[in-house]
Each structure stands twice: as C-alpha cells, then as structure tokens.
Amino acid sequence: MDPRFEKLAKVIVQYSGRVEPGQLVRITGATVTEPLMIAVYREVVRAGAHPEIAIVPDECKRIMLEEGSDEQLSYENPLLLHAVDTIDCSIGLWGQKNTKALSTISPEKSTLQSQARKTYFKKFLGRAADGSMNWVGTQFPCESSAQDAEMSLSEYEDFVFRGGFLNEDDPVAMWKKLSIAQQKLADYLMTKKEIRFVTPLGTDLTLGVEGRKWINCDGHENFPDGEVFTGPIETATQGIVKYSFPAVHGGRESDGIELTFRDGRVVDAKASKGEEFLIAMLDQDAGARVLGEIAIGTNYAIQDYSKNTLFDEKIGGTFHAAVGAAYPESGGTNESGLHWDMVCDLRQGGQIFVDGELISENGRFLNPEFPQPLT
C-alpha cells in the first residue's frame, strides 16, 4: 500500500473527523476505494471508536436508476434516516471505476432520487450545523478520476496528495497555517454587506451577504479543503455568471453554463453541453434556482482543473456558487434536494469587490494576511 494512504487516513480521522473513543463512525465508499477504506478503518479502531462500513458498488447505483420504478426512486430509506440521527461521524471515500457510468440516465430519474434524499440531506446538514455530528469526505485516487483529469495515475496520485499537503512532513501544521489566513478573510467579510465578482469573459455577479456567517473551511469536512463560504441572502443575487469549467453532478456533465439571476433566482439558464440536464435540475423544486452558497477558493496547492468538484472548487484564485440547499451554519435558509457547485476562474483578469472595495485581482488577494500562493 502507498504509505501516503496511511498518512491520509491519520489526518482525516484525527484532524478532520476529530474521532473520539466510543463514537460511532460510519465509513462509506465504492469498492474501488477499498485500500483507503482499510487504512481509515484501522485508524478509527486505533482511536477507540466503533467503525461501521458501508460499501456501495458502482453498478448498484446504475441498476436502481436504470431499472427502478418511480416508487423505488422516490423511496425514503428509514435505515438511512436512522443512521444520520445516530452516527457521531461520517467519513465518505469518493471514487468510481467509471465516472461516466450514469451519464445516460434520464434527468427525470435523477431528479426523483435527488428529491427522495431531501429529508436525509436536511437532517445531515442540520446535525453538522449544530455540531452533534462531524463529517469528512475525501477522494480516492483511482484510474477513472485520473482519466477525467487527463493525468496518469501516478500524476493524479501526486495531485491528490499535494492538494491535501500530504507531501509535507506535518500536513496538520500546514492546514492550521491556512486556517489562520482564511479566518482573517472570513472575519473581514463578516462585517460586509455585498460581494461582487467580475471577469473579462462576462461574469458580473453581485450578492447580498449582510448578516450571514462566513465559514472557514480548513480540512475538517472536505479534504482537501481551502475555501471560505457563506449562504447569500436568498433574494439579493443579481447579474450574470459564466462558469469557466464543466460542472459535474450525479455523473452528468454540463459545460458552458451561463446563469442569469434576478432578485435571487435563476431567470435564464444556458449551457453549450448538457443544457436539458441543467434545466431539469434547476426545475426540481422551489429552492433549486436559488443560490445556497457562495465561496472563494483559497488552496493554492491546487492549480489544475480536474473535473472533480472536490478539488476544482478549492483552486486558489477561483470562486464557486452552488444552486440549491444552503448550509444552515452560514445563516442560509434555502432548502432544496439539489446542491450543485459550479466554478468560475478569476486568475486571468478576474476581480472581487466587497462593498465597492477591490480585494482580489487575477486570483490573488491584495491583503498579504489573506491566503496567498505557495512559495
């Protein structure tokens, strides 16, 4: 086994998941993630906690979506609802043998399944917000994701581990250093009313954020991490955003996405690829056309687009916005069965204005105390 898996397992169990003796810890992942799952299981045992494994083969997801009836797709599983009420920590290991396995599934079926998880998703976010449950998700470096990123497997492994500072002697020290810089940015934004993003490609998006809490994401939930985010005021998003990269959701890809907002809602949606899927997702419920999150990527160890939102939304010098459900801890109130992050690059002429003041240009903050490129 690559010794970096053991290093990653220690960081996500001890630092990210903050696992304590006696806790019930759920570990979920596809079969391809087994090497990392074993390493995580070992670390949970060593922490004195009680691990519970849930392995979900990729093919099972496709069988349900392809062959399941509307009633089956809409079923709210009481075992999952009980689990989310019971576990102390959830560790998700992400990876697939084929990232395009669900690309031919109809948007209608995906929507039914998304709506069926709405109650579960609300419970999950609520427990995370009130601190009664910790959670963390991380990527297993597998062949399919390497192919999406147009890298060899060894290159992709280096990319994954570098993004989590696992090439450093003390990764946790690096995360704590980034956390301090991110907190200074979050504290600054906490006192402001409005944030605006502008790019030469046509993005001009203004969001109201007064009274909302900016969250410092420093490796305790997503791993790797590196962002500050909030839930924007639900009725105060105006303008146009033209996303730089393809956006992937549920194994389906949309590209060339352009969203126009008026009084907080998407009033026009376009895409050069996957437009039908995009609109179906936005029409699934009342909250899907409202932004639940606005965030700034601050991890300058990640610079390459990889078609994996976990990494792409953290790229230092980008921002991302999610249509759909808000995280309650940010003060956001929007509810939806959807939460779809889409990323916009600021590194070639992009600007961020806060209450009219320029704070970032070309993907770099003007204040040296805020997160900066690695030297």
Side-chain angles (χ1 to χ4, degrees):
M1 184 186 294
D2 188 324
R4 292 176 296 185
F5 286 142
E6 296 178 2
K7 198 172 185 179
L8 173 57
K10 286 182 179 180
V11 173
I12 63 174
V13 171
Q14 297 176 13
Y15 172 74
S16 303
R18 293 162 284 190
V19 173
E20 297 179 358
Q23 288 187 329
L24 177 59
V25 180
R26 181 183 63 182
I27 308 166
T28 60
T31 50
V32 72
T33 69
E34 183 178 331
L36 180 55
M37 185 173 287
I38 292 170
V40 169
Y41 188 96
R42 178 179 289 114
E43 287 303 318
V44 171
V45 170
R46 288 175 174 174
H50 308 294
E52 172 66 20
I53 292 282
I55 300 176
V56 184
D58 293 343
E59 189 61 21
C60 291
K61 295 180 181 179
R62 180 169 181 84
I63 290 170
M64 177 55 72
L65 284 164
E66 194 170 54
E67 301 183 24
S69 66
D70 287 357
E71 187 275 332
Q72 288 172 306
L73 290 170
S74 302
Y75 181 65
E76 284 190 344
N77 188 332
L79 294 179
L80 287 178
L81 295 177
H82 176 70
V84 80
D85 282 334
T86 308
I87 57 176
D88 299 298
C89 180
S90 176
I91 299 176
L93 308 180
W94 301 324
Q96 299 167 271
K97 291 181 180 178
N98 179 2
T99 60
K100 302 296 188 293
L102 305 180
S103 60
T104 57
I105 299 297
S106 74
E108 291 76 18
K109 285 180 174 286
S110 298
T111 296
L112 281 174
Q113 194 171 67
S114 178
Q115 286 297 294
R117 292 178 63 84
K118 193 171 180 179
T119 301
Y120 170 88
F121 196 33
K122 183 177 180 179
K123 283 175 173 282
F124 189 99
L125 294 179
R127 289 203 62 207
D130 67 24
S132 62
M133 180 193 72
N134 293 332
W135 70 273
V136 60
T138 194
Q139 175 69 35
F140 177 80
C142 51
E143 290 277 8
S144 61
S145 295
Q147 290 169 346
D148 283 348
E150 299 183 6
M151 301 178 191
S152 69
L153 180 58
S154 62
E155 288 173 330
Y156 188 68
E157 288 171 341
D158 289 343
F159 167 79
V160 168
F161 293 127
R162 184 173 61 251
F165 305 138
L166 293 162
N167 56 324
E168 303 287 340
D169 292 335
D170 189 348
V172 172
M174 291 292 292
W175 282 109
K176 289 180 178 178
K177 179 180 178 181
L178 179 59
S179 179
I180 291 170
Q182 288 183 168
Q183 191 59 53
K184 290 179 179 179
L185 173 60
D187 290 343
Y188 165 81
L189 293 170
M190 210 90 72
T191 64
K192 306 303 180 182
K193 297 180 179 180
E194 186 177 271
I195 189 166
R196 179 186 176 205
F197 300 91
V198 181
T199 73
L201 297 180
T203 291
D204 193 341
L205 189 70
T206 301
L207 306 98
V209 294
E210 185 176 11
R212 296 299 166 90
K213 182 178 180 180
W214 286 85
I215 308 295
N216 176 358
C217 297
D218 55 2
H220 283 108
E221 292 179 345
N222 286 331
F223 193 91
D225 221 330
E227 66 174 272
V228 295
F229 80 89
T230 195
I233 296 171
E234 289 70 23
T235 58
T237 301
Q238 311 282 355
I240 296 174
V241 55
K242 295 184 177 181
Y243 289 106
S244 311
F245 306 124
V248 181
H249 180 75
R252 296 286 296 266
E253 180 180 315
S254 296
D255 195 7
I257 296 174
E258 179 180 329
L259 302 180
T260 301
F261 289 85
R262 186 179 305 130
D263 299 330
R265 296 190 63 82
V266 176
V267 295
D268 188 38
K270 303 174 184 176
S272 59
K273 174 184 178 182
E275 184 175 287
E276 180 185 359
F277 177 73
L278 170 67
I279 293 174
M281 292 298 100
L282 292 174
D283 286 342
Q284 68 178 264
D285 58 35
R289 284 180 175 259
V290 177
L291 285 186
E293 176 188 358
I294 186 69
I296 304 171
T298 57
N299 187 336
Y300 288 92
I302 304 174
Q303 287 291 286
D304 299 318
Y305 173 68
S306 64
K307 284 193 178 180
N308 184 325
T309 304
L310 174 67
F311 296 93
D312 300 337
E313 68 177 9
K314 312 302 190 315
I315 294 174
T318 64
F319 82 89
H320 61 275
V323 282
Y327 293 102
E329 61 264 42
S330 69
T333 60
N334 195 50
E335 295 183 6
S336 174
L338 181 69
H339 183 93
W340 189 357
D341 293 289
M342 303 174 186
V343 184
C344 186
D345 202 344
L346 296 167
R347 292 173 293 178
Q348 310 238 342
Q351 297 174 309
I352 303 175
F353 297 89
V354 176
D355 289 353
E357 176 190 0
L358 179 67
I359 70 161
S360 173
E361 193 162 27
N362 294 313
R364 297 190 174 200
F365 291 106
L366 303 185
N367 186 334
E369 293 189 334
F370 296 167
Q372 298 294 324
L374 300 177
T375 55

